[in-house]
């Protein structure tokens, strides 16, 4: 949705706080299949809260993934999230496309807490509800220095950025293609990364509410390290549910639950705010994605506290892949590939 340049065959590149994921897809008849896929972990503090701190490390990691996995395509689609990203739904008087293009900058200035000269803007007219006197416009603004932070690293890795999207919309893209939702079904798409959680509430294919929250899987790791006097790798292992010698469930589980409760509270607050502003719309289901989607006990707690079915999003539900070649990456944690696959799907804008 938020694009720089034209759409063409692209590599979906998700630069996260704990790892970088790259995916390229191709269309064969009516089917889509994975032709290249790579994933490399990042050390802590390389990418912090969605900002690339060590450009050299990130560009070297991107180069290594794309070279080792033999990606030939030069064009990249990447995505951003966090405090430098603003998504607003505006209700405006009906107007032509030309009138909207002329008025959107002035309208945006009233809703964006940044200098309008410091941001890149994009917008899309949404399907309006019947009998509505106004038109709904989804406005997206991203600070230019945030975009440069990502595009410069990609350029250093010898690739060109043809699309900059929003994490929440890449997640929606992969959900729409894989699950083909009916137009009246409202779901919450949650992308729980290492340091940021993207929340996108979607009715059919229409985004109703989008929010980024600065919580994520790193909080489990940090809290386990602090409370149980562990190293980083030990804490990373424990949060997935794998047990370690000398650490009992009685010690581990309350620490895990305390962090899960913080995350659930942020989701609950978001849902409450949404319900207060969208009278009559009921969220029916939660799809959970991101590298931290498989944190031990989180899905059960979400279902218990929010009273909604929770399903881990499978980004390759309708996409074929070679088990021998990519099975190890996929089986380890499919939800962590969701944003990269959603970006790679931008190669096929007619879907």
């Amino acid at each position: 949705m938020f694009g720089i340049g034209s759409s063409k065959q692209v590599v979906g590149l998700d630069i996260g706080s704990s790892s970088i994921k790259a995916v390229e897809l191709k269309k064969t008849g009516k089917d889509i299949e994975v032709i290249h896929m790579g994933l490399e972990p990042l050390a802590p503090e390389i990418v912090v809260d969605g900002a690339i701190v060590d450009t050299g490390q990130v560009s070297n990691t991107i180069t290594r993934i794309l070279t080792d996995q033999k990606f030939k395509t030069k064009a990249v689609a990447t995505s951003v999230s966090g405090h430098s990203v603003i998504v607003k739904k505006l209700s405006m008087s009906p107007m032509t496309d030309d009138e909207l293009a002329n008025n959107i900058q002035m309208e945006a200035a009233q809703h964006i807490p940044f200098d309008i000269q410091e941001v890149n803007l994009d917008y899309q007219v949404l399907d309006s509800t019947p009998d509505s006197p106004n038109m709904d416009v989804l406005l997206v603004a991203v600070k230019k220095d945030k975009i440069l932070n990502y595009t410069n690293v990609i350029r250093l890795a010898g690739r060109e950025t043809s699309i900059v999207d929003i994490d929440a919309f890449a997640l929606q893209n992969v959900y729409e293609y894989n699950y083909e939702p009916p137009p009246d079904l409202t779901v919450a798409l949650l992308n729980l990364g290492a340091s940021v959680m993207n929340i996108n509430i979607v009715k059919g294919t229409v985004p109703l509410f989008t929010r980024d929250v600065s919580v994520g899987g790193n909080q489990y790791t940090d809290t386990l390290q602090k409370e149980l006097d562990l190293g980083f790798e030990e804490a990373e292992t424990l949060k997935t549910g794998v047990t370690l010698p000398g650490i009992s469930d009685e010690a581990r589980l309350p620490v895990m639950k305390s962090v899960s409760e913080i995350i659930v509270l942020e989701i609950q607050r978001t849902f409450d705010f949404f319900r207060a502003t969208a009278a009559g719309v009921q969220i029916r289901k939660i799809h959970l994605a991101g590298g931290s989607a498989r944190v031990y006990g989180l899905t059960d707690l979400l279902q218990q506290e929010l009273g909604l079915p929770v399903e881990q999003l499978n980004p390759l539900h309708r996409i074929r892949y070679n088990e021998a070649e990519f099975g190890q990456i996929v089986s380890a944690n499919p939800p962590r590939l969701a944003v990269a696959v959603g970006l790679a799907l931008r190669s096929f804008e007619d879907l």
Side-chain angles (χ1 to χ4, degrees), residues 32-47:
I32 288 179
E33 64 178 308
V34 176
I35 54 172
H36 298 291
M37 179 184 289
L39 183 148
E40 286 274 349
L42 287 175
E45 311 302 320
I46 300 295
V47 178

Side-chain angles (χ1 to χ4, degrees), residues 8-315:
K8 53 185 176 181
Q9 183 70 21
V10 293
V11 174
L13 187 69
D14 176 17
I15 303 172
S17 295
S18 65
S19 64
I20 296 175
K21 286 76 69 178
V23 174
E24 186 173 4
L25 307 171
K26 78 170 181 179
K27 200 170 181 181
T28 309
K30 291 185 177 179
D31 293 330
I32 288 179
E33 64 178 308
V34 176
I35 54 172
H36 298 291
M37 179 184 289
L39 183 148
E40 286 274 349
L42 287 175
E45 311 302 320
I46 300 295
V47 178
V48 179
D49 293 332
I52 298 169
V53 177
D54 190 331
T55 56
Q57 279 274 42
V58 172
S59 66
N60 289 341
T61 303
I62 294 170
T63 300
R64 187 162 59 252
I65 294 170
L66 300 181
T67 302
D68 289 353
Q69 302 305 320
K70 299 180 172 56
F71 285 82
K72 297 289 191 290
T73 299
K74 291 292 185 184
V76 167
T78 194
S79 57
V80 294
S81 63
H83 300 304
S84 298
V85 179
I86 303 293
V87 180
K88 292 269 188 184
K89 188 167 80 169
L90 309 180
S91 184
M92 301 175 66
S93 301
M95 60 185 73
T96 66
D97 290 347
D98 288 344
E99 288 171 334
L100 180 58
N102 291 331
N103 282 292
I104 195 68
Q105 190 124 339
M106 186 172 62
E107 187 73 25
Q110 302 174 44
H111 297 276
I112 294 171
F114 309 130
D115 184 332
I116 201 72
Q117 302 302 318
E118 295 178 356
V119 300
N120 280 10
L121 290 175
D122 200 3
Y123 61 91
Q124 181 169 318
V125 179
L126 301 175
D127 293 334
S128 297
T129 53
D131 305 322
S132 173
N134 292 327
M135 60 188 285
D136 290 332
V137 178
L138 191 70
L139 175 72
V140 182
V142 182
K143 293 191 79 170
K144 291 177 179 177
D145 58 1
K146 174 84 167 186
I147 292 174
L148 282 172
N149 187 221
Y150 278 65
T151 56
N152 284 343
V153 163
I154 291 166
R155 181 178 48 79
L156 283 172
R159 305 286 162 138
E160 60 175 277
T161 308
S162 66
I163 296 170
V164 178
D165 210 330
I166 305 300
D167 286 352
F169 295 157
L171 186 66
Q172 181 178 337
N173 207 23
V174 82
Y175 161 71
E176 287 178 18
Y177 179 74
N178 282 286
Y179 293 87
E180 302 176 288
D184 59 344
L185 176 64
T186 301
V187 303
L189 307 177
L190 307 181
N191 183 47
L192 187 61
S195 61
V196 177
M197 174 171 59
N198 317 117
I199 303 174
N200 189 5
I201 300 172
V202 181
K203 183 176 183 180
T205 61
V206 179
L208 301 180
F209 185 82
T210 304
R211 182 186 179 216
D212 291 340
V213 185
S214 294
V215 297
N218 285 347
Q219 285 189 251
Y220 290 98
T221 309
D222 294 344
T223 307
L224 285 165
Q225 283 184 270
K226 181 181 175 184
E227 296 295 327
L228 302 181
D229 193 24
L230 300 173
F232 176 80
E233 293 298 336
E234 292 173 307
E236 284 284 296
T237 300
L238 275 184
K239 74 181 183 184
T240 65
V242 178
T243 57
L244 291 175
I247 300 171
S248 66
D249 281 352
E250 288 76 14
R252 172 177 64 98
L253 294 180
V255 178
M256 297 280 293
K257 189 176 180 184
S258 69
V259 180
S260 290
E261 286 172 343
I262 294 169
I263 291 170
V264 171
L265 182 60
E266 287 292 348
I267 296 167
Q268 183 70 68
R269 285 174 176 162
T270 301
F271 286 7
D272 288 346
F273 181 83
F274 167 74
R275 290 181 182 118
T277 58
V281 180
Q282 294 295 319
I283 299 168
R284 299 296 180 189
K285 191 174 190 178
I286 295 171
H287 284 275
L288 190 58
S292 301
R294 287 194 162 184
V295 165
Y296 183 76
L298 178 60
T299 295
D300 290 342
L301 188 65
L302 278 170
Q303 290 183 155
Q304 177 186 322
E305 295 295 324
L306 301 178
L308 291 168
V310 179
E311 179 182 334
Q312 292 198 354
L313 189 146
N314 179 2

